[in-house]
Amino acid sequence: MDNNSRKPYQLVSREWKKEDTIIKVKNSIIGGNNLSIIAGPCAIENEDQIFTICEFLNKHNIKLLRGGAYKPRTSPYSFQGLKKEGLILMKKAADKFGMAVVTEVMETNLVDEVYQYADIFQVGTRNMQNYQLLRALSKTDKPVLLKRGMSSTIEEWLLAAEYILAGGNEKVILCERGIRTYEPATRNTLDISAVPLVKALSHLPVIVDPSQGTGIRELVAPMSYAAIAAGADGVMVEVHNNPKEALSDGPQSLYFDQFEAMLPVIGKLAEISGKRVDFDYSREVIS
Ligand code: PEP
Ligand code: MN
């Protein structure tokens, strides 16, 4: 790819650092030669829900648990998350199964609280350009999963990441989660082309969230495969024990059997791409 023009960002660029950034989190490695799966519910709802989901994920040796305790909802009347109680439940479940916690921090004044429970801070699409929050996270020593703003260009996204690196935190994971286009048939338009492009422009790991990216659970597996084929370092997907009753994002949450069916295909795609996985898929057969 032509790389002649001078970039407005520096520390995140491939010119600045040739080698892939590799991020170690508890027992997992993100980036480089590794293909990661981050999975879990959209939101933590209650103890039974999160323990049931963790127990299921643990059967497949999934090590990175996603879940929101503070939820940025479009409507103020929608479930806003269990907040601190959700963080406590999530960490309790993650600790029981040896998983790492990926959870959203929505406000600068919550960074210290979320820090106590999270292994990876998630910055949501609505906060990608909350520079005060990015600066606060740049002063912590935990990785930041930075979602692409729903109306942001790739350059704006990389400049948001630059804030975190410039402040002193090099552990940034970029997450493509779809952008807003004229098309209402899917919740967002998942920009798969962003994956190889950003991988060329930056040394940071790039993962894809096909759950927010499509809003439709049947599209999550095919878009996960597409993301991995395009060179993504992993996928983040929503899984729920009872998607019909989920308090947020039920229509895009996978049933357990849909998640299970996806694993052997992801495993084979990883083999083809020469990537390592740490989840179990060998016992399952593609039908
Ligand atoms: C989520 O991961 O549940 C979420 C709210 O993501 P986004 O910020 O991409 O909408
Ligand atoms: Mn969600």
Side-chain angles (χ1 to χ4, degrees):
M1 243 169 275
D2 271 343
N3 258 337
N4 295 332
S5 56
R6 189 154 168 76
K7 309 283 186 343
Y9 44 83
Q10 188 173 4
L11 305 178
V12 303
S13 73
R14 276 277 179 204
E15 285 88 348
W16 184 262
K17 182 173 171 238
K18 291 263 170 304
E19 324 79 61
D20 289 341
T21 286
I22 293 174
I23 297 172
K24 291 203 177 68
V25 192
K26 281 205 165 167
N27 303 321
S28 298
I29 306 173
I30 301 171
N33 221 17
N34 304 281
L35 188 74
S36 305
I37 299 184
I38 306 173
C42 179
I44 313 304
E45 297 171 7
N46 55 61
E47 183 154 357
D48 185 53
Q49 175 238 20
I50 191 60
F51 274 79
T52 303
I53 294 170
C54 282
E55 193 175 2
F56 164 73
L57 294 173
N58 184 56
K59 275 203 311 200
H60 300 283
N61 207 28
I62 300 291
K63 289 286 168 222
L64 297 163
L65 175 67
R66 65 143 290 143
Y70 289 92
K71 292 302 301 177
R73 303 304 300 280
T74 301
S75 165
Y77 306 117
S78 301
F79 175 60
Q80 303 286 308
L82 296 181
K83 308 198 168 73
K84 188 167 180 179
E85 189 197 338
L87 293 173
I88 293 169
L89 289 177
M90 193 179 179
K91 182 157 172 52
K92 194 170 153 195
D95 283 350
K96 176 168 179 194
F97 296 103
M99 301 174 83
V101 167
V102 184
T103 196
E104 178 159 357
V105 57
M106 278 169 53
E107 293 169 31
T108 308
N109 60 16
L110 287 170
V111 170
D112 289 346
E113 180 184 307
V114 176
Y115 183 91
Q116 295 170 53
Y117 303 94
D119 296 293
I120 300 180
F121 287 112
Q122 180 172 321
V123 173
T125 191
R126 295 160 183 82
N127 262 325
M128 188 204 82
Q129 288 180 310
N130 180 342
Y131 300 121
Q132 199 194 13
L133 178 63
L134 300 181
R135 264 195 223 97
L137 293 171
S138 78
K139 301 302 174 199
T140 75
D141 59 1
K142 292 197 175 175
V144 179
L145 188 154
L146 180 65
K147 297 273 195 118
R148 179 178 180 181
M150 63 180 86
S151 306
S152 294
T153 64
I154 285 171
E155 190 167 290
E156 287 162 344
W157 185 23
L158 290 172
L159 283 166
E162 185 85 9
Y163 267 85
I164 305 172
L165 273 79
N169 186 350
E170 294 176 357
K171 290 180 268 184
V172 175
I173 302 151
L174 297 166
C175 179
E176 162 62 40
R177 50 76 72 204
I179 50 176
R180 182 157 286 199
T181 67
Y182 57 81
E183 178 54 75
T186 48
R187 184 177 182 183
N188 290 287
T189 296
L190 190 61
D191 185 4
I192 297 284
S193 64
V195 175
L197 184 55
V198 174
K199 293 286 296 174
L201 294 173
S202 175
H203 52 83
L204 296 172
V206 180
I207 66 157
V208 169
D209 175 347
S211 305
Q212 326 302 318
T214 64
I216 301 169
R217 71 170 69 83
E218 286 73 21
L219 302 187
V220 168
M223 289 297 97
S224 295
Y225 307 154
I228 293 163
D233 296 291
V235 289
M236 175 155 97
V237 297
E238 290 180 344
V239 192
H240 198 285
N241 53 322
N242 187 5
K244 278 205 185 76
E245 306 291 327
L247 297 180
S248 74
D249 288 351
Q252 67 192 36
S253 299
L254 295 175
Y255 285 92
F256 284 176
D257 59 346
Q258 290 178 307
F259 181 80
E260 270 168 344
M262 215 168 72
L263 292 182
V265 186
I266 293 181
K268 296 286 176 208
L269 287 169
E271 281 172 27
I272 294 165
S273 328
K275 291 206 173 166
R276 224 177 2 238
V277 297
D278 56 8
F279 58 87
D280 294 334
Y281 67 94
S282 48
R283 277 167 284 141
E284 292 154 270
V285 179
I286 302 174
S287 51

